[in-house]
Amino acid sequence: MSPDARRLDRFYGSARRWLGLVMAYRKVGELAVREWGDPAEPGILLWPGMGFTSAYFAGSASFLPGRSVGVDPPGWGRSPAPSSYSYEHLVGLAVEAIRACDCWAMVGHSLGGAIALGVADDPPPGLRAVVLVDGGYLEPADHVELG
C-alpha cells in the first residue's frame, strides 16, 4: 500500500470509528469485499460499475439495513485480475459472494446491474431482491466477452 493510501486509510478509519461504522476487508473466493455493519446480520451485496471498487458504496452503506457487502470487481481495488473476463464468470463470482456472505439482496450499478440481472435469472437460495441502478440493459450478444 502506498504512503498516500495508508494516510487515507488512517483518516477514513478515524472517521468510521467516530461515526460508529464497522468496516472490514476480507477475501471471498477470487474477490476482495468490504463489509460495513454487524457481521451477524444478513447482507446486501453491492457490485459497482466497471472501473469502480467497493468504495463507490461507502457513502450509502450505512443507510442500508443490516450489513452491506461491497465488492472490488476482478482487476479493481484489492481483487486480482482474472486471466480473462466473461459475463458468466462475473455472474458466478457474484453468486459465490452472495452465498458466502449470506446476502438476501443484491444491488448492481451499471455493469454491476447487468451482473445482478444475470444473478436474478437463476437466483441462489435466500436471495429475495435484486436492484438495478443504471444497468441491466446489455443485449445477450454483448455478454460474450467483457474487457
Side-chain angles (χ1 to χ4, degrees), residues 23-26 32-36 53-55 58 68-72:
M23 195 219 33
Y25 289 100
R26 71 176 170 129
V33 299
R34 182 187 314 215
E35 295 179 291
W36 296 270
T53 68
S54 56
S68 298
V69 181
V71 171
D72 284 351

Side-chain angles (χ1 to χ4, degrees), residues 56-104:
Y56 178 82
F57 295 103
S60 56
S62 64
F63 296 103
L64 298 173
R67 181 172 46 93
S68 298
V69 181
V71 171
D72 284 351
W76 302 98
R78 296 178 183 215
S79 292
S83 56
S84 66
Y85 289 90
S86 75
Y87 179 72
E88 292 77 15
H89 181 69
L90 294 174
V91 169
L93 290 174
V95 168
E96 180 183 357
I98 289 166
R99 288 182 176 141
C101 298
D102 188 31
C103 292
W104 66 273

Side-chain angles (χ1 to χ4, degrees), residues 22 47 61 65 73 82 84 105 108 116:
V22 175
W47 194 297
S84 66

Side-chain angles (χ1 to χ4, degrees), residues 108-127:
H109 168 251
S110 191
L111 177 59
I115 294 165
L117 195 58
V119 169
D121 185 49
D122 186 18
L127 187 70

